Amino acid sequence: MGFWKNFFWGSQGSTSPSPAASPGAVAKGSVDLLDPKHLETVNLDSLQDARIFFSTDPNLDLYELEELCSSVGWSRRPLRKVRKALQNSFLVVSMWEQRGKRRRLIGFSRATSDHAFNATIWDVVVRPSAQGKGLGKALMNHTIKKLRQEDISNITLFADAHVVDFYRGLGFNVDPEGIKGMFWYPD
Amino acid sequence: MGFWKNFFWGSQGSTSPSPAASPGAVAKGSVDLLDPKHLETVNLDSLQDARIFFSTDPNLDLYELEELCSSVGWSRRPLRKVRKALQNSFLVVSMWEQRGKRRRLIGFSRATSDHAFNATIWDVVVRPSAQGKGLGKALMNHTIKKLRQEDISNITLFADAHVVDFYRGLGFNVDPEGIKGMFWYPD
């Protein structure tokens, strides 16, 4: 797994794209040290000696991801479908906390896209113990930055009512020009 | 182009997926005769001797597609990016009218997806001369049917204010449980 190699070796390099990944998707496996300019709102005291990393490797440990998602109360999803969803996401961002030799998955987001015009962000999650430190904002800014690097100009998402203000603070607009998000579910 | 071969030969067969298409995307190139049950609201008198076909071949003539989009007043987009968007869409649906030997592109929609949980429908268009006959509804029902066949359960879209009621009539809900569609644009 190139991610961990890069993580421990401190390289900024990329692994080869997974054969199952969408062609043209955001280059997989890059690990970026958190850009200090995205940490402006982070309470550094609360992070203590932790270092925060981002990865765009879609080959996550699915059990670790499931544990993160269950920490915020999300119900379980079949791992086979989760794996397929990650492989077919245009962008997968994971956020990691490292204290000494101990590393922990503390955040996640992903985006679907047509690789040209639109991207839609899904499954944004930050571990409860890591909330309130500006890390959710840092995760979203990193996600937006990666999509912008791919020349995606229309970034969308569907926000639960209680996080609408969070996304508004990041520059997202609700119902611009009366455009409405709509959902169809099976009967 | 397998599509036209299938179209004229009346086959239900599929072409090979385009090498540039996303792996696992909806099988490309199938051409289905409009399912009569989707024509329930069509004013058949107004269709006269026309036959309506759907295709899921993403290899459309981009000039024909651009002409369709400009017929509803959409501004031009770079064909290179349109091609990329079609190749990386999970589903591309085109709707065709045939009168005698004359065929015409009269509708279009596409969807991005993670191939597992979510799909988002974009660029829904019906030629003005074909509007008011139930064909927009047929196009959307066909799009939903194709996504459901791929086991996508969460189908979303962003509707302009004046078509919210149209989508509501197809079973789409606005802001269910307070979920809001949000947009981020570059400054």
Side-chain angles (χ1 to χ4, degrees):
Chain A
M1 300 270 270
F3 168 61
W4 290 118
K5 181 177 158 223
N6 289 340
F7 192 93
F8 288 115
W9 288 82
S11 161
Q12 298 288 318
S14 298
T15 62
S16 299
S18 157
S22 302
V26 174
K28 302 301 193 298
S30 67
V31 180
D32 301 332
L33 189 58
L34 188 61
D35 188 330
K37 77 182 178 200
H38 288 154
L39 271 173
E40 54 191 332
T41 63
V42 170
N43 180 347
L44 290 166
D45 289 341
S46 73
L47 289 177
Q48 296 169 347
D49 61 342
R51 294 173 70 199
I52 306 298
F53 294 86
F54 291 110
S55 166
T56 53
D57 191 333
N59 298 305
L60 295 175
D61 180 325
L62 298 186
Y63 294 98
E64 205 163 4
L65 179 59
E66 181 179 270
E67 190 271 323
L68 171 67
C69 294
S70 68
S71 77
V72 294
W74 292 2
S75 52
R76 286 191 177 199
R77 299 185 291 188
L79 293 190
R80 178 188 58 80
K81 289 193 80 170
V82 172
R83 183 181 296 109
K84 191 175 181 186
L86 265 57
Q87 285 170 341
N88 289 290
S89 291
F90 179 60
L91 174 68
V92 172
V93 177
S94 53
M95 182 167 65
W96 303 83
E97 180 189 78
Q98 172 126 13
R99 291 177 186 273
K101 290 184 176 177
R102 185 167 171 265
R103 60 184 185 276
R104 196 176 193 202
L105 179 64
I106 59 168
F108 178 84
S109 73
R110 66 184 177 95
T112 51
S113 177
D114 59 15
H115 305 203
F117 299 108
N118 308 308
T120 309
I121 297 170
W122 305 95
D123 296 349
V124 179
V125 53
V126 175
R127 187 180 294 280
S129 61
Q131 291 180 10
K133 300 172 184 175
L135 290 170
K137 184 178 176 184
L139 171 66
M140 288 305 298
N141 280 329
H142 192 77
T143 303
I144 293 167
K145 185 181 82 173
K146 288 287 176 187
L147 293 173
R148 291 291 298 139
Q149 283 174 353
E150 300 294 323
D151 201 25
I152 302 294
S153 55
N154 183 31
I155 303 175
T156 59
L157 54 79
F158 297 95
D160 283 334
H162 68 282
V163 287
V164 165
D165 283 341
F166 166 73
Y167 289 114
R168 213 180 247 128
L170 288 162
F172 283 85
N173 298 302
V174 172
D175 302 343
E177 300 177 36
I179 296 170
K180 287 285 185 184
M182 299 188 78
F183 287 73
W184 187 96
Y185 305 106
D187 292 330
Chain B
M1 299 270 269
F3 168 62
W4 289 118
K5 179 177 160 223
N6 290 340
F7 192 93
F8 288 116
W9 289 83
S11 160
Q12 298 287 319
S14 297
T15 62
S16 299
S18 156
S22 301
V26 174
K28 301 301 193 298
S30 67
V31 180
D32 301 332
L33 190 58
L34 187 62
D35 189 331
K37 78 181 177 200
H38 288 153
L39 270 173
E40 54 191 332
T41 63
V42 171
N43 179 349
L44 290 166
D45 289 342
S46 72
L47 288 177
Q48 297 170 347
D49 61 342
R51 295 173 71 198
I52 307 296
F53 295 86
F54 290 110
S55 166
T56 53
D57 190 334
N59 298 304
L60 295 175
D61 180 324
L62 298 186
Y63 294 98
E64 206 163 4
L65 178 59
E66 181 178 272
E67 190 271 324
L68 171 67
C69 293
S70 67
S71 77
V72 294
W74 292 1
S75 52
R76 286 192 178 199
R77 298 185 290 187
L79 293 190
R80 178 188 58 80
K81 288 194 81 170
V82 173
R83 183 181 297 110
K84 191 175 180 185
L86 265 58
Q87 287 171 341
N88 290 290
S89 292
F90 178 60
L91 174 67
V92 172
V93 176
S94 53
M95 182 167 65
W96 302 84
E97 179 188 78
Q98 172 126 14
R99 292 177 185 273
K101 290 185 176 176
R102 184 167 172 267
R103 61 184 184 275
R104 197 177 192 201
L105 179 63
I106 60 168
F108 178 84
S109 74
R110 66 185 176 95
T112 50
S113 176
D114 59 15
H115 304 204
F117 299 108
N118 309 309
T120 310
I121 297 171
W122 304 96
D123 296 348
V124 179
V125 53
V126 175
R127 187 179 293 281
S129 62
Q131 291 179 9
K133 300 170 184 175
L135 291 170
K137 183 178 175 184
L139 171 66
M140 287 305 299
N141 279 329
H142 192 76
T143 303
I144 292 168
K145 186 181 82 175
K146 288 288 175 186
L147 292 173
R148 291 292 296 139
Q149 284 173 354
E150 301 294 323
D151 201 25
I152 302 294
S153 54
N154 183 32
I155 303 175
T156 58
L157 55 78
F158 296 94
D160 284 333
H162 68 283
V163 287
V164 165
D165 284 341
F166 166 74
Y167 289 113
R168 214 179 246 129
L170 289 162
F172 283 85
N173 298 302
V174 173
D175 303 343
E177 301 177 34
I179 297 171
K180 287 284 186 185
M182 300 188 78
F183 287 72
W184 187 95
Y185 304 107
D187 292 331

